[in-house]
């Protein structure tokens, strides 16, 4: 790369205005996520050449702004309703201004960052970049979103000043949810440009960045597409069904449930062919060009219009069955006809399912009967992918750590290829490859010959990876706290089967849940009690966080259902009281407590957060008291905390005085949120649901949530922490109950809810409004907890509630009975 240019680049925090060129799926998604980061975004597309029927009916012409901006305006309108949501808050469409490349090109001179995201054709991208250069001011960042076209080829013909500020920022789809951004500089890109784009993507957009080389399809798509090709070839070679191949290349290998063929349907079979063609046409390696030949099967399916999910059929097809219900059919690879799904089963698949964790699952696959075709297939596809990845080190990325990160973040693999190679045993697997006649990359042979037996090692809470010159430290952000690394280095303070307390430095500890699905049961509640005692005696404060897939999906529903079905009502009440008392101990702790939830934080997970002094959510936090979905109400303190929130909001609305406080409006809003089992679509949306306090906030970087929570604990401690005191909560009383129940009855009479929904709603109303007391009466927290417990117990005894609980456990979906 050249030396830094003279143009002064900005800091990422000062970049407030951006433009995105192209309002298709990727362009709109990128624009939405820039808006999520607080930027004002100009979204431009081409001017339409003809009127729609609706435009003609309105009497519009091609010169009208509504027509000329139609493509980008329609994209913005779709954002507000998109599922899954593109924006953290649908109201943030007001941060995006639609326009067109003809009328608004000069506005590019007023923005700080321009992202080109037009169709994946080199000629069109070059034309757009030429137009951008004519309007941008010197020093403005310009990046292209491309999945694999040459960055240098795109920049041909542009000035040196432009090329120094230009690189690829390859967002993975959907941009809001996928963590990976590959930054790809050309030989002329200034190092400061790469640094600024990295800072922007990591700190402002919350992404994981890897720097890739300007080679066909960069890192993740290069290895991912190769893996799909060899899986397809081996599926045919070993005579497997698509279901068998997916069963062996999904969670069994530490990969998503979409595995291979479901993933292909999602990506698009034509898209994979485009990727394959791009590698083959740009590769200088004859052997690689042979590997990336167009598979005949894929070409035939694309020729038949079977492109995957976007065309309605690919390797799987969704059909409407009896009663309008949809059913999934699978492709027969020999006849290309569809039929009922074929269940994939074998001792090899069963062994992988039973194993815990990606490493153990891979070992189980490879330790199985080597004569079984499933074991042969798994080994063949795996070893080819490992060898190919090793051969690309230095070609597509500088090191193995970047390749592993790219596959984890871009394809949602639990372990990257080199991490997985370590897990199955580097020396043992290479020896087997040699026996089978496979060529081992020279650097791997040398690495083993030098006495190394793994690609990674850990020491002093740091991780090191293999390089040609020995181990190098894997750089991580300074404010990243890894609980797994801390536990590995002996920082566990106490542990149960469901939770661990970990020293995260500066006299602060973190309570980590690690039960199945992080559901709250007796083990976690016991750990909370032990933690409260330990923190009070020896620590400055406590963080509630974990590194599981989700923070907490709720309480242990299976245990509650079993006790209820057996009529063990004393046991059920004991469980509830134990839960309530544990949450109170967190709330009364004489040290600051900060919760840092992420992803699914439901039911009991929310109740574990509400006692904290502060909640710091990640953007992708789906937060809600959803107990009514299984026929219950929140009874771990959730209703009590909601009543307190309503009272606090009523008091704030009245200007802080006691006189004239109207509890009903905030109570109505919270009742609706809980009764309808609403969960937020983001951390920001949780604010709109009314479940957060003024001191709670959202942190843009999910990976930094534990470090941010620790900082908040230390700040509370430095400010002279005062423990939360027992409070008396003003409630709406019997009149408030009547108002809420009237709303429930109206919904019942209109057919919006079932009779059982109405029963649940009535009990929830009784608890939230404080029961049969006079309006405005101040009640104790324990009084509200008693109401919670009474209502919960009565609902547990209802047959329809038990049916809902059972259905949720069996299907993962709510039952409306």
């Amino acid at each position: 790369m050249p030396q830094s240019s003279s143009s002064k680049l900005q800091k990422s925090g000062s970049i407030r205005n951006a433009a995105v060129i192209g309002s298709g799926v990727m362009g709109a998604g990128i624009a939405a996520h820039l808006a999520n980061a607080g930027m004002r975004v100009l979204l431009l597309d081409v001017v339409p050449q003809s009127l729609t029927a609706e435009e003609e009916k309105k009497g519009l012409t091609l010169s009208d702004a509504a027509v000329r901006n139609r493509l980008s305006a329609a994209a913005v309108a779709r954002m507000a309703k998109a599922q899954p949501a593109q924006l953290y808050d649908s109201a943030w469409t007001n941060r995006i201004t639609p326009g067109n490349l003809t009328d608004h090109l000069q506005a590019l001179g007023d923005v700080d960052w321009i992202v080109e995201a037009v169709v994946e054709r080199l000629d069109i991208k070059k034309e757009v970049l030429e137009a951008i250069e004519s309007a941008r001011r010197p020093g403005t960042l310009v990046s292209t979103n491309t999945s694999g076209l040459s960055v240098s080829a795109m920049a041909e013909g542009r000035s040196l000043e432009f090329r120094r500020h230009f690189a690829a920022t390859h967002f993975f789809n959907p941009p809001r949810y996928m963590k990976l951004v590959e930054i790809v500089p050309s030989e002329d890109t200034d190092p400061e440009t790469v640094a600024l784009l990295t800072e922007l993507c990591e700190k402002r957009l919350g992404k994981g960045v890897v720097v890739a080389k300007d080679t066909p399809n960069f890192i993740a798509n290069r290895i991912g597409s190769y893996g799909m090709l060899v899986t397809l070839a081996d599926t045919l070679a070993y005579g497997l069904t698509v279901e068998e191949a997916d069963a062996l290349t999904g969670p069994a290998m530490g990969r998503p449930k979409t595995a291979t063929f479901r993933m292909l349907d999602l990506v698009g079979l034509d898209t994979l062919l485009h990727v394959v063609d791009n590698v083959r046409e740009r590769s200088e390696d004859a052997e690689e060009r042979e590997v990336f030949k167009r598979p005949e099967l894929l070409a035939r399916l694309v020729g038949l219009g079977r492109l995957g999910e976007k065309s309605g059929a690919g390797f799987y097809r969704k059909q409407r069955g009896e009663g309008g219900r949809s059913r999934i059919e699978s492709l027969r690879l020999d006849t290309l006809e569809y039929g009922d799904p074929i269940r994939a089963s074998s001792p090899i698949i069963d062994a992988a399912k039973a194993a815990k964790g990606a490493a153990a699952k891979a070992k189980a696959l490879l330790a199985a009967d080597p004569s079984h075709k499933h074991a042969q297939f798994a080994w063949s596809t795996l070893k080819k992918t490992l060898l190919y990845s090793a051969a690309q080190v230095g070609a597509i990325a500088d090191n193995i750590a970047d390749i592993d990160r790219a596959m984890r973040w871009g394809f949602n693999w639990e372990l990257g290829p080199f991490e997985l190679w370590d897990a199955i045993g580097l020396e043992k697997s290479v020896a087997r490859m040699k026996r089978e006649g496979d060529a081992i990359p020279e650097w791997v042979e040398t690495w083993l010959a030098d006495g190394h037996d793994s690609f990674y090692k850990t020491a002093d809470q740091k991780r090191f990876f293999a390089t040609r010159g020995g181990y190098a430290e894997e750089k991580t952000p300074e404010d990243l706290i890894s609980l797994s690394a801390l536990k590995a280095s002996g920082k566990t303070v106490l542990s149960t089967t469901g939770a661990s307390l970990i020293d995260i430095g500066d006299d602060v500890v973190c309570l980590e849940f690690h039960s199945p699905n992080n559901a709250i049961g007796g083990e976690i509640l016991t750990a909370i009690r032990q933690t409260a005692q330990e923190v009070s005696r020896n620590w400055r404060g406590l963080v509630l966080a974990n590194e599981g897939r989700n923070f907490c999906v709720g309480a242990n529903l299976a245990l509650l259902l079993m006790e209820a079905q057996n009529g063990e009502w004393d046991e059920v009440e004991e469980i509830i009281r134990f839960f309530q008392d544990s949450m109170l101990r967190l709330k009364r702790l004489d040290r600051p407590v900060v919760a840092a939830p992420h992803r699914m934080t439901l039911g009991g997970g929310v109740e574990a957060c509400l006692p904290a002094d502060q909640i710091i959510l990640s953007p992708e936090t789906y937060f809600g008291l959803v107990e009514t979905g299984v026929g219950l109400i929140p009874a771990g303190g959730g209703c009590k905390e909601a009543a307190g929130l309503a009272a606090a909001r009523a008091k704030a609305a009245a200007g802080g005085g006691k006189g004239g406080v109207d509890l009903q409006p905030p109570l109505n809003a919270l009742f609706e949120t809980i009764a309808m089992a609403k969960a937020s679509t983001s951390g920001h949306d949780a604010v709109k649901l009314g479940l957060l306090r003024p001191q709670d906030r959202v942190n843009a970087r999910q990976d930094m949530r534990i470090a941010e929570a620790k900082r908040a604990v230390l700040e509370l401690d430095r400010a002279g922490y005062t423990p939360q005191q027992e409070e008396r909560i003003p409630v709406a009383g019997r009149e408030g109950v009547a108002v809420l129940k009237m709303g429930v009855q109206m919904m019942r009479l209109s057919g919006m809810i079932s009779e059982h929904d109405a029963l649940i709603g009535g009990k929830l109303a009784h608890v939230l409004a404080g029961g049969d007391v006079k309006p405005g009466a101040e009640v104790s927290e324990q009084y509200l907890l008693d109401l919670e417990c009474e209502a919960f117990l009565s609902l547990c005894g209802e047959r329809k509630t038990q049916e809902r609980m059972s259905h949720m456990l069996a299907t993962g979906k709510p039952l409306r009975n």
Side-chain angles (χ1 to χ4, degrees):
M1 288 186 189
Q3 295 298 310
S4 299
S5 66
S6 58
S7 298
K8 183 68 174 177
L9 284 169
Q10 303 178 63
K11 294 294 184 182
S12 68
S14 65
I15 293 184
R16 300 182 179 90
N17 300 296
V20 177
I21 315 299
S23 63
V25 172
M26 285 305 299
I30 293 168
H33 200 55
L34 298 184
N36 285 336
M39 299 182 194
R40 307 297 303 187
V41 184
L42 178 65
L43 180 60
L44 304 182
D45 212 316
V46 296
V47 175
Q49 299 301 303
S50 60
L51 296 171
T52 65
E54 185 179 353
E55 289 167 342
E56 288 180 347
K57 187 177 180 180
K58 291 179 178 179
L60 297 174
T61 70
L62 291 174
S63 62
D64 286 308
V67 176
R68 297 176 72 80
N69 298 338
R70 181 212 306 156
L71 297 178
S72 55
V76 174
R78 287 192 296 270
M79 285 178 201
K81 303 175 182 178
Q83 293 297 329
Q86 294 178 313
L87 293 160
Y88 293 150
D89 185 329
S90 60
W92 291 354
T93 52
N94 62 14
R95 297 177 178 177
I96 305 172
T97 302
N100 68 76
L101 271 170
T102 303
D103 302 331
H104 305 107
L105 181 65
Q106 295 308 310
L108 298 182
D110 298 324
V111 303
D112 308 309
W113 180 16
I114 302 167
V115 182
E116 172 274 304
V118 301
V119 65
E120 283 283 273
R121 274 182 48 184
L122 182 60
D123 57 337
I124 295 177
K125 285 185 177 287
K126 291 184 72 171
E127 286 180 15
V128 171
L129 292 176
E130 182 178 6
I132 289 172
E133 183 170 22
S134 71
R136 72 183 272 276
R137 66 174 184 268
T140 301
L141 280 176
V142 182
S143 66
T144 174
N145 184 72
T146 175
S147 60
L149 295 178
S150 170
V151 181
S152 294
M154 269 187 253
E156 286 178 358
R158 307 278 60 77
S159 68
L160 178 59
E161 192 278 334
F162 182 98
R163 297 199 307 273
R164 284 182 166 177
H165 297 90
F166 175 69
T169 46
H170 178 208
F171 289 82
F172 275 62
N173 191 35
R176 168 182 163 179
Y177 297 96
M178 293 301 292
K179 182 172 181 177
L180 178 63
V181 173
E182 292 175 318
I183 292 179
V184 190
S186 73
E187 58 186 16
D188 293 320
T189 304
D190 195 305
E192 287 186 3
T193 297
V194 176
L196 179 55
L197 285 170
T198 298
E199 185 178 332
L200 268 170
C201 292
E202 288 182 344
K203 293 187 177 180
R204 295 288 299 280
L205 304 183
K207 296 300 178 186
V209 170
V210 295
V211 177
K213 294 186 181 293
D214 190 8
T215 56
N217 298 103
F218 313 137
I219 302 174
N221 279 343
R222 181 75 163 266
I223 292 174
S225 60
Y226 175 85
M228 290 179 180
L229 290 177
V230 298
T231 300
L232 174 58
D234 280 351
T235 299
L236 297 171
Y238 288 97
L240 270 58
T241 64
V242 293
E243 291 93 341
E244 287 176 309
D246 276 352
L248 291 161
T249 60
M253 280 190 182
R255 298 174 189 174
K257 291 180 180 178
T258 47
T260 299
F261 292 108
R262 285 186 177 85
M263 174 69 79
L264 269 171
D265 279 356
L266 287 171
V267 169
L269 277 60
D270 55 334
T271 301
L272 179 62
L273 284 185
H274 171 76
V275 170
V276 167
D277 291 343
N278 188 43
V279 176
R280 186 182 65 256
E281 292 165 4
R282 290 179 58 197
S283 177
E284 299 178 357
D285 186 294
E287 186 176 336
E288 184 171 58
R289 288 197 298 272
E290 182 66 22
V291 170
F292 278 85
K293 285 177 60 176
R294 278 188 158 215
E296 182 182 346
L297 176 60
L298 276 187
R300 287 180 64 190
L301 289 172
V302 171
L304 291 170
R306 301 179 186 179
L307 309 181
E309 194 171 87
K310 59 187 172 185
S311 69
F315 288 100
Y316 295 92
R317 181 174 72 175
K318 183 180 289 187
Q319 293 286 86
R320 287 288 178 186
E322 295 181 4
R325 293 183 178 180
S326 62
R327 61 188 178 88
I328 303 297
E329 297 179 333
S330 60
L331 185 70
R332 306 297 186 258
L333 298 177
D334 51 352
T335 65
L336 299 192
E337 296 179 352
Y338 293 94
D340 291 334
I342 302 171
R343 183 174 179 272
S345 179
S346 72
I348 288 84
I349 293 173
D350 292 343
K353 284 182 178 179
K356 303 298 182 184
K361 287 180 181 296
K363 287 181 180 178
L365 279 179
L366 303 183
D369 179 3
S371 66
H372 197 289
K373 66 178 182 179
H374 286 176
Q376 294 169 354
F377 166 85
W379 168 245
S380 177
T381 58
L382 182 58
K383 76 170 181 179
K384 290 173 184 174
T385 303
L386 298 181
L387 289 169
Y388 183 76
S389 300
Q392 302 311 308
V393 176
I396 63 175
D398 284 331
N399 58 68
I400 66 169
D402 280 343
I403 292 175
D404 280 343
R405 280 193 288 261
M407 298 315 296
R408 290 200 313 270
W409 296 341
F411 277 73
N412 290 324
W413 290 10
E414 289 186 44
L415 298 173
F418 298 96
E419 294 167 322
L420 185 57
W421 208 337
D422 275 356
I424 65 173
L426 176 59
E427 290 179 303
K428 182 179 179 180
S429 59
V430 168
R432 180 176 176 180
M433 292 171 186
K434 287 182 176 180
R435 290 196 303 271
E436 295 172 359
D438 295 300
I440 310 300
E442 181 182 351
W443 77 268
V444 177
E445 292 266 34
T446 302
W447 183 254
L448 288 168
D450 287 343
H452 303 294
D453 60 2
S454 66
F455 290 119
Y456 289 93
K457 71 174 183 178
T458 57
D460 299 325
Q461 302 176 35
K462 297 176 181 178
R463 192 161 85 144
F464 300 83
F465 60 86
T467 69
R468 294 182 186 274
Y471 283 108
E473 182 182 344
E474 185 175 6
K475 297 298 182 183
T476 56
E478 292 181 5
D479 49 358
L480 177 67
I481 292 177
S482 168
L483 298 180
S484 57
L486 289 168
K487 288 195 291 185
S489 62
K491 296 295 184 178
T492 301
V493 177
L494 61 85
S495 183
T496 71
T497 56
S500 295
L501 189 65
I502 303 157
D503 179 358
I504 58 175
D506 296 313
D507 292 327
V508 178
V509 282
C510 176
L511 182 61
E512 172 201 42
F513 302 163
H514 48 66
S515 64
N517 295 318
N518 284 347
I520 296 179
E523 302 90 347
I524 288 179
L525 296 176
T526 298
I528 287 173
R529 289 173 171 236
Q530 293 173 347
T531 292
Q533 294 176 350
E534 171 67 21
V535 172
S536 179
R537 287 194 300 260
N538 299 314
W539 304 88
R540 293 171 69 182
L542 173 67
V543 169
L544 299 175
N546 62 67
E547 294 172 335
R549 177 171 175 76
N550 299 299
F551 176 76
C552 177
V553 299
N556 187 334
L557 195 61
L559 175 62
L560 284 168
L561 177 61
M562 180 184 69
E563 299 289 8
Q565 288 176 332
N566 291 335
E568 300 288 350
W569 304 117
D570 288 344
E571 293 292 331
V572 176
E573 181 172 2
E574 185 177 339
I575 292 170
I576 299 167
R577 297 295 188 185
F578 193 41
F579 199 136
Q580 292 177 340
D581 182 68
S582 299
M583 297 306 105
L584 275 180
R585 292 191 185 207
L586 279 179
K587 188 167 186 175
R588 300 283 177 263
L589 189 61
D590 57 354
R591 299 287 186 269
V593 179
V594 176
H598 68 287
R599 290 184 60 84
M600 289 175 64
T601 304
L602 304 175
V606 172
E607 291 177 304
C609 292
L610 291 176
D613 298 286
Q614 188 176 12
I615 304 172
I616 299 177
L617 303 94
S618 73
E620 299 303 339
T621 304
Y622 318 126
F623 199 78
L625 291 166
V626 297
E627 286 86 348
T628 60
V630 290
L632 300 168
I633 68 162
C639 288
K640 180 258 295 182
E641 292 293 331
L645 283 171
R649 286 172 189 153
K651 184 176 180 180
K658 290 189 175 182
V661 173
D662 186 0
L663 290 163
Q664 204 67 51
L667 183 63
N668 292 346
L670 280 164
F671 174 78
E672 180 182 338
T673 292
I674 300 171
M676 301 301 289
K678 293 181 180 180
S680 69
T681 58
S682 71
H684 296 276
D685 188 48
V687 177
K688 293 174 67 176
L689 285 185
L691 296 175
L692 298 178
R693 297 87 46 104
Q695 69 267 32
D696 301 327
R697 58 188 171 88
V698 181
N699 183 50
R701 301 174 68 187
Q702 177 163 305
D703 287 350
M704 305 301 125
R705 64 187 183 277
I706 300 175
E708 188 65 21
K710 175 184 167 182
R711 275 192 287 270
V713 165
L714 292 173
E715 182 57 36
L716 287 167
D717 178 63
R718 279 193 292 268
Y721 178 70
T722 301
Q724 297 185 56
Q725 301 299 312
E726 171 88 31
E727 59 180 337
R728 296 191 67 80
I729 300 170
V731 295
R734 59 181 70 95
E735 291 184 10
V737 174
V739 171
L740 296 178
K741 284 188 173 181
M742 184 182 299
V744 171
Q745 189 61 24
M746 290 177 64
M747 294 181 71
R748 174 71 186 103
L749 292 173
S750 65
M752 296 176 63
I753 61 175
S754 70
E755 185 176 339
H756 192 55
D757 288 325
L759 174 68
I760 300 164
K763 290 187 179 293
L764 177 64
H766 184 79
V767 177
L768 284 181
D772 188 20
V773 296
K774 66 179 182 180
E778 294 188 351
V779 301
S780 68
E781 291 183 74
Q782 188 57 55
Y783 170 82
L784 289 171
L785 291 175
D786 291 341
L787 290 183
E788 282 185 4
C789 184
E790 179 184 352
F792 192 94
L793 279 168
S794 67
L795 286 169
C796 277
E798 295 286 338
R799 176 180 58 82
K800 289 188 176 182
T801 284
Q802 293 180 16
E803 288 174 356
R804 290 190 180 193
M805 296 166 73
S806 181
H807 189 269
M808 177 61 75
L809 289 169
T811 68
K813 298 177 181 179
L815 172 68
R816 292 298 178 195
N817 55 354

